[in-house]
Amino acid sequence: MTSPYTLVFDLDGTLVDTAPDLITALNFVLDREGLPPVPMASARNMIGAGARKLIERGLEAEGRMVTPADMDRMTADFIAYYADHIAVESRPFEGLEAALDQFAAQGHRLAVCTNKLEWLSKRLLDQLDLTRRFAAICGADTFGVQKPDPTIFRETVARAGGAVKASIMVGDAGTDVGVARRAGVPVIGVSFGYTDVPIAELKPDRLIHHMRDLPAAAHSLMTA
């Protein structure tokens, strides 16, 4: 039995498959601008850097440029629509809840560190009945910085009641690997998330392809 650790999770593409609802919201905004929808398959890898960046990438795919004021308006429209449709099709990845149960039974702390807005993150997790599992849920606006800035990781661990030296990041993209490296903690990459660079190329300390493999990967880092 290892000493308690804090497992810090990214949200979109790591805990929850949110792509269907995020892309639906993106296409709602694009449609209002008279632009065609972005296909789900290609749009999945646009996710992960927040609503504004998702819209920018969607516009770039159509060769469209907009003014900062238009981007502000489109981002507000996106967030309003998404907030009302946040868990229509979004679901936890298979095996997630069993893995979280195992960590909780072993006395480990669980936290969420995401570049999604905090209130949207909590609304999503509330609707999926996952909020109760986490000691802290922190987003891009919680501390005024986003991943890969290590401040958001350190403050998330502190809010969860843990210690950075006994923590592990779990994520699907470069921002997750980057925040772990800057915070000086190990990182587990998941191969089923959203990233324009394959997670394996970013060389996480462990790489898993299904949530059932997460407890073993985490335990190997805790006992290394």
Side-chain angles (χ1 to χ4, degrees), residues 49-61:
R52 192 180 187 93
K53 180 58 71 172
L54 176 60
I55 296 167
E56 287 176 2
R57 290 169 174 169
L59 291 169
E60 287 169 4

Side-chain angles (χ1 to χ4, degrees), residues 12 16 38 46 98-99 107 110 127 139 150 162 177 184 190 199 201 204 212 219:
D12 298 283
V16 182
V38 177
M46 297 179 183
L110 305 173
Q127 293 197 22
V177 175
V190 304
I199 191 71
E201 294 182 14
R212 73 169 72 91
H219 187 262

Side-chain angles (χ1 to χ4, degrees), residues 62-129:
E62 299 299 329
R64 176 80 175 268
M65 299 283 289
V66 299
T67 65
D70 283 338
M71 180 58 71
D72 289 343
R73 172 180 54 78
M74 293 169 69
T75 301
D77 288 347
F78 175 97
I79 290 172
Y81 180 91
Y82 180 62
D84 288 339
H85 303 83
I86 200 165
V88 176
E89 296 183 66
S90 296
R91 297 293 181 270
F93 283 104
E94 184 181 3
L96 171 69
E97 293 187 77
L100 298 183
D101 285 342
Q102 189 168 332
F103 289 131
Q106 294 168 347
H108 300 303
R109 295 179 178 87
L110 305 173
V112 175
C113 179
T114 174
N115 282 347
K116 202 184 199 78
L117 294 172
E118 181 185 316
W119 71 273
L120 284 175
S121 303
K122 290 181 175 177
R123 176 175 289 197
L124 172 62
L125 294 169
D126 280 347
Q127 293 197 22
L128 297 177
D129 192 29

Side-chain angles (χ1 to χ4, degrees), residues 179-190:
V179 77
R181 297 292 180 239
R182 287 166 175 78
V185 303
V187 56
I188 299 171
V190 304

Side-chain angles (χ1 to χ4, degrees), residues 26-51:
L26 171 62
N27 286 333
F28 168 79
V29 171
L30 294 179
D31 181 68
R32 292 186 68 169
E33 300 301 309
L35 296 171
V38 177
M40 184 69 66
S42 60
R44 286 177 69 88
N45 291 336
M46 297 179 183
I47 297 168

